[in-house]
Amino acid sequence: MNLERYLFLGEEVSAARRNGRPLVALESTIISHGMPYPENVKTALAVEDIVRARGAVPATIAILGGKIVAGLSPAEIDELGKTGQSAAKVSRRDIPAALAGKKPGATTVAGTMIAAQLAGIEVFATGGIGGAHRGAQHTFDISADLSELARTSVAVVCAGAKAILDIGLTLEILETLGVPVISYRADDFPAFYTRSSGFKTGCRLDSPIEIARLLRCKWDAGLAGGVVIANPVPAEFEADPAMIEKAISLALGEADKLGVTGKRITPYLLEKIAHATGGKSLETNIALIKANASLAAEIACGLGA
Ligand code: PSU
Ligand code: MN
């Protein structure tokens, strides 16, 4: 039994694999659950074009018709964008149900990492990774993204973990799990909407080629598992920290009152924050995912060089 029999490669991805071209995986939960329609589809397509412009080939990943698809077509991206939160949010544990049920499934960071590894893709760009939620000491709400990073050998380029999380706790867990965390052209770990969380990563690298070298060393040395590459949002798109913190408090309060927990909490908070900031957080979200796609493509090219 092998998951590979469930894998379907889009045309562009399939050709890239044949020709040994650099590939960048892209997730789909950010499309279905992370942003409203039509900004989600517009952003997903723009992000693919950025990857192409940097000389790599994009592979947007989702589960469709009982297959893990690496390389969605524009029509499939549009369909998933319209389906929105009615699509299943697919992390590791949800893959069997999504495959057997043949219903549309948007892959999270964890789900996308599994698919990327299967498709032979080493670099993946997203917005923010999941992590330990505030109060995780009591609720145990720690994203499966963290345990996936411990076991699956894919580099994840992100703008950090969202400030809705407990960033200190998230970094502690990544350390325990043996996951390298790199800050790109910064000393601190970024906080998604803002450039700094106040926590240091202890590993700063200033060029895509140095990052590619670190990845190759890790995997050549037999140290399986992922790497977090934290790319602070470009300064001109950084959100005002006070505005974000206020929006987060508001959103967390409402989530608590309504009893929103589990896999619904991240999409719920993102939506509330976008609303509370009058769309400013969405603008930041779009800018950072584009910057991450660009860096991921450069790293993928570096790995192939
Ligand atoms: N970050 C975003 N938008 C998102 C997510 C993260 O900016 O939509 C999604 C990612 O797919 C991530 C998931 O893997 O949320 C984490 O969810 P959970 O905490 O339930 O594991
Ligand atoms: Mn969770």
Side-chain angles (χ1 to χ4, degrees):
M1 259 304 278
N2 196 318
L3 249 181
E4 267 179 56
R5 48 190 279 225
Y6 294 103
L7 183 68
F8 175 84
L9 300 181
E11 227 170 271
E12 193 185 1
V13 173
S14 181
R17 289 264 326 246
R18 271 197 311 278
N19 302 321
R21 304 243 345 256
L23 280 149
V24 172
L26 300 164
E27 68 151 302
S28 46
T29 293
I30 195 167
I31 303 175
S32 60
H33 292 66
M35 290 182 194
Y37 184 81
E39 284 90 346
N40 55 359
V41 171
K42 211 175 129 215
T43 305
L45 297 175
V47 160
E48 287 201 337
D49 281 338
I50 288 169
V51 170
R52 289 187 191 100
R54 295 270 173 204
V57 174
T60 301
I61 288 170
I63 297 188
L64 298 173
K67 293 264 183 206
I68 298 173
V69 182
L72 263 60
S73 68
E76 287 167 332
I77 289 176
D78 191 67
E79 186 63 37
L80 194 62
K82 278 192 190 131
T83 305
Q85 299 203 14
S86 307
K89 176 178 161 187
V90 181
S91 187
R92 171 176 281 271
R93 65 132 193 218
D94 311 297
I95 292 177
L99 289 175
K102 305 205 163 146
K103 294 210 186 76
T107 46
T108 63
V109 167
T112 307
M113 286 179 77
I114 295 168
Q117 175 153 286
L118 213 57
I121 305 173
E122 296 179 308
V123 186
F124 161 23
T126 183
I129 56 167
H133 282 262
R134 297 182 188 188
Q137 298 90 329
H138 306 290
T139 62
F140 274 53
D141 190 350
I142 300 169
S143 175
D145 291 354
L146 301 187
S147 41
E148 204 57 50
L149 279 158
R151 68 197 286 183
T152 301
S153 300
V154 172
V156 181
V157 181
C158 62
K162 256 176 310 308
I164 57 168
L165 302 169
D166 184 326
I167 296 184
L169 195 53
T170 300
L171 288 171
E172 287 294 345
I173 295 169
L174 286 169
E175 180 183 0
T176 303
L177 295 173
V179 178
V181 179
I182 299 167
S183 304
Y184 181 63
R185 294 185 182 162
D187 296 313
D188 282 8
F189 191 66
F192 194 76
Y193 298 118
T194 55
R195 290 177 56 81
S196 172
S197 65
F199 292 92
K200 302 251 176 277
T201 61
C203 180
R204 170 187 178 134
L205 293 178
D206 288 331
S207 72
I209 198 76
E210 283 174 280
I211 297 173
R213 239 182 262 135
L214 180 146
L215 295 175
R216 200 47 84 216
C217 284
K218 173 173 161 67
W219 294 328
D220 280 353
L223 295 165
V227 173
V228 175
I229 298 153
N231 183 27
V233 61
E236 62 272 35
F237 294 106
E238 184 177 28
D240 171 32
M243 175 187 74
I244 286 295
E245 203 38 58
K246 199 169 139 217
I248 291 171
S249 302
L250 202 86
L252 284 170
E254 283 186 45
D256 194 42
K257 224 175 0 189
L258 292 173
V260 182
T261 56
K263 66 199 301 182
R264 286 173 52 227
I265 188 88
T266 301
Y268 178 84
L269 294 175
L270 289 179
E271 208 175 287
K272 283 281 155 203
I273 293 167
H275 191 74
T277 62
K280 274 266 174 277
S281 69
L282 183 60
E283 261 174 55
T284 303
N285 203 342
I286 292 170
L288 66 86
I289 168 81
K290 288 181 178 172
N292 294 344
S294 173
L295 176 58
E298 290 177 322
I299 296 168
C301 292
L303 274 170

